[in-house]
Amino acid sequence: MSDLLSVFLHLVLLFKLVAPVTFRHHRYDDLVRTLYKVYNECPQITRVYSIGRSVQGRHLYVLEISDHPGIHEPLEPEVKYVGNMHGNEVLGRELLLQLCEFLCQEFRNGNQRVVRLVQDTRIHILPSMNPDGYEVAAAQVEPETQAVIQWMHSFNFVLSANLHGGAVVANYPYDKSLEHRVRGFRSTANSPTPDDKLFQKLAKVYSYAHGWMHQGWNCGDYFPDGITNGASWYSLSKGMQDFNYLHTNCFEITLELSCNKFPRQEELQREWLGNREALIQFLEQVHHGIKGMVRDENYNNLAGAVISVSGINHDVTSGDHGDYFRLLLPGTYTVTATAPGFDPETVSVTVGPAEPKLVNFQLKRSIPPASPVRRAPGGGRRVRVKAQPRAAGKKEMDVKQPHRGPA
């Protein structure tokens, strides 16, 4: 009974004073007006920016929500939500617009959970990755993909979710199987990443906070706990979540949110209520694991330093400001920071279940070996021997690169 009371009070804290909203589908012009409406209502914590244009010239607008919009604050993680990647999968687009309005309203209402989230996180929301496709219910087109890839490399994103439709399940990488598979046939093609347990946990956070995803039976499919490894469902090459994991510092999952890719307008309120808590809880997951600064002996920030965790064959790198973020499950880890021209530094870290552990590194410049010294023949003054150049061995030539692939 006490657990039920705790859950009830938790929901009351989040959803008290929620202003009424209108649930309807938004065409492109309506989407733009909604984003700027949120900006006008909360200019101190929002920014609207474009990451490029679609084939037909429509802007790909992002709403940023942060206590200092437009600025990366060291040690503040970056999170993104992406919706409407496929033109006819529209629920994610509508949910993200509702989320923009909700975060603005609740911040203004003084909801402490939302205020803390905004103050400690830089949130980027792209409601529609494919505005042309939405207008004609067509497939994704190339310029939008290129714009999103450039966007992913412009920010040091830590956590992300891509919202889709056509099923109800939280899908995590890898999407690509080593064997050719057909959608709907799933038996033994699980393709785990080195961070498989972490991805399962992220997927379960969303699934169990969702109104019905965790039940497993949805849309004629059954997924235990409402989650699945991408490749064990069906194999997909060049998926967005795989790209994020392999080529950036970002951990992304794919959220399939509705059986009907284009739900009726009267269903939107139910879908929002079913996803609202899950969207908030997923954002909060970015505040787990370890984070810190990587600096040299003179306290200069080191960008591009590699952060390695022993036993997990996947590294992350520090951003332009020298800060890094590494999501981890609770436990004790051996963590090493390396950078070209510096001696590596290794520490043991115990990660708890709550706030991220702050772990800073101060790397010392590597000292080149001194040239050998010998006495001149006949007991004369000593002379320094000039080292002769030689072919460098493979280990000397290799510069440590972050591990992005499977073990």
Side-chain angles (χ1 to χ4, degrees):
M1 188 65 179
S2 60
D3 290 342
L4 291 176
L5 179 60
S6 175
V7 171
F8 175 75
L9 292 176
H10 185 75
L11 292 175
V12 168
L13 174 63
L14 177 59
F15 302 130
K16 65 178 182 178
L17 302 176
V18 177
V21 294
T22 301
F23 295 93
R24 61 184 178 85
H25 287 290
H26 294 73
R27 300 294 292 266
Y28 178 75
D29 290 344
D30 295 329
L31 180 150
V32 174
R33 279 192 289 267
T34 298
L35 293 180
Y36 276 98
K37 173 177 175 288
V38 173
Y39 167 73
N40 289 330
E41 291 177 351
C42 294
Q44 74 278 23
I45 63 165
T46 62
R47 175 175 73 110
V48 178
Y49 67 95
S50 173
I51 63 171
R53 289 180 181 268
S54 68
V55 167
Q56 297 179 13
R58 296 181 175 91
H59 277 288
L60 306 177
Y61 282 118
V62 175
L63 181 76
E64 176 189 338
I65 303 175
S66 170
D67 58 343
H68 292 92
I71 300 172
H72 173 77
E73 299 176 73
L75 299 180
E76 183 173 275
E78 314 249 1
V79 192
K80 61 182 166 71
Y81 274 136
V82 180
N84 198 203
M85 178 177 175
H86 301 133
N88 62 342
E89 298 177 9
V90 304
L91 179 59
R93 171 192 181 110
E94 302 304 331
L95 292 177
L96 293 181
L97 288 176
Q98 295 292 346
L99 181 63
C100 292
E101 293 184 322
F102 176 78
L103 291 174
C104 171
Q105 293 161 359
E106 291 304 287
F107 185 89
R108 294 174 64 188
N109 289 339
N111 183 321
Q112 286 305 299
R113 186 181 177 194
V114 172
V115 169
R116 184 167 59 252
L117 187 63
V118 171
Q119 290 177 340
D120 296 343
T121 321
R122 193 179 183 197
I123 303 166
H124 304 256
I125 298 176
L126 173 62
S128 181
M129 179 178 165
N130 187 3
D132 295 348
Y134 179 90
E135 298 299 311
V136 297
Q140 175 189 331
V141 287
E142 182 66 17
E144 290 86 346
T145 304
Q146 293 300 324
V148 169
I149 290 174
Q150 183 177 352
W151 179 47
M152 289 190 295
H153 287 303
S154 299
F155 295 87
N156 188 19
F157 289 116
V158 180
L159 184 65
S160 173
N162 200 323
L163 281 62
H164 288 250
V168 178
V169 64
N171 174 346
Y172 56 91
Y174 289 119
D175 276 331
K176 175 63 176 173
S177 171
L178 296 179
E179 58 184 272
H180 181 69
R181 297 179 57 77
V182 178
R183 181 169 184 163
F185 176 76
R186 35 180 140 75
S187 56
T188 59
N190 188 54
S191 183
T193 69
D195 286 285
D196 188 57
K197 291 183 179 179
L198 174 60
F199 272 116
Q200 289 187 44
K201 184 248 188 181
L202 292 172
K204 286 181 180 179
V205 164
Y206 198 96
S207 174
Y208 276 88
H210 188 275
W212 51 89
M213 184 183 289
H214 61 278
Q215 296 171 359
W217 285 107
N218 290 292
C219 314
D221 287 316
Y222 177 70
F223 299 100
D225 295 313
I227 70 172
T228 184
N229 173 263
S232 71
W233 184 16
Y234 66 96
S235 183
L236 172 69
S237 297
K238 302 178 182 178
M240 190 67 76
Q241 62 186 12
D242 286 7
F243 182 90
N244 273 267
Y245 186 70
L246 293 172
H247 300 289
T248 78
N249 290 327
C250 190
F251 288 62
E252 177 170 293
I253 67 172
T254 301
L255 300 171
E256 303 279 354
L257 297 177
S258 62
C259 304
N260 185 351
K261 294 183 178 182
F262 206 123
R264 291 175 293 123
Q265 187 161 289
E266 52 267 31
E267 297 173 358
L268 294 180
Q269 182 173 8
R270 174 181 179 268
E271 296 288 355
W272 166 242
L273 295 175
N275 284 274
R276 180 172 59 184
E277 172 65 16
L279 288 166
I280 298 295
Q281 281 198 28
F282 186 79
L283 289 174
E284 292 172 334
Q285 298 312 299
V286 77
H287 298 290
H288 291 278
I290 61 174
K291 67 178 183 179
M293 301 295 299
V294 185
R295 297 187 175 99
D296 66 12
E297 295 172 285
N298 298 316
Y299 296 93
N300 298 309
N301 297 333
L302 294 179
V306 177
I307 309 300
S308 305
V309 180
S310 179
I312 304 177
N313 191 27
H314 181 80
D315 302 336
V316 299
T317 56
S318 57
D320 292 340
H321 296 80
D323 52 345
Y324 76 91
F325 306 84
R326 207 332 175 164
L327 299 180
L328 292 168
L329 294 173
T332 300
Y333 301 90
T334 300
V335 184
T336 301
T338 58
F342 293 85
D343 293 330
E345 182 180 350
T346 300
V347 298
S348 179
V349 182
T350 298
V351 176
E355 296 296 317
K357 181 81 170 181
L358 184 63
V359 183
N360 295 322
F361 292 94
Q362 190 168 18
L363 303 186
K364 297 180 180 180
R365 287 199 174 273
S366 302
I367 301 175
S371 299
V373 175
R374 73 180 186 188
R375 285 191 174 277
R381 60 181 297 187
R382 291 180 295 178
V383 296
R384 189 170 297 275
V385 177
K386 183 177 181 181
Q388 295 299 313
R390 62 182 177 87
K394 183 179 186 301
K395 290 185 178 179
E396 294 172 306
M397 295 177 66
D398 287 344
V399 177
K400 181 173 177 59
Q401 298 295 327
H403 294 296
R404 297 297 192 191

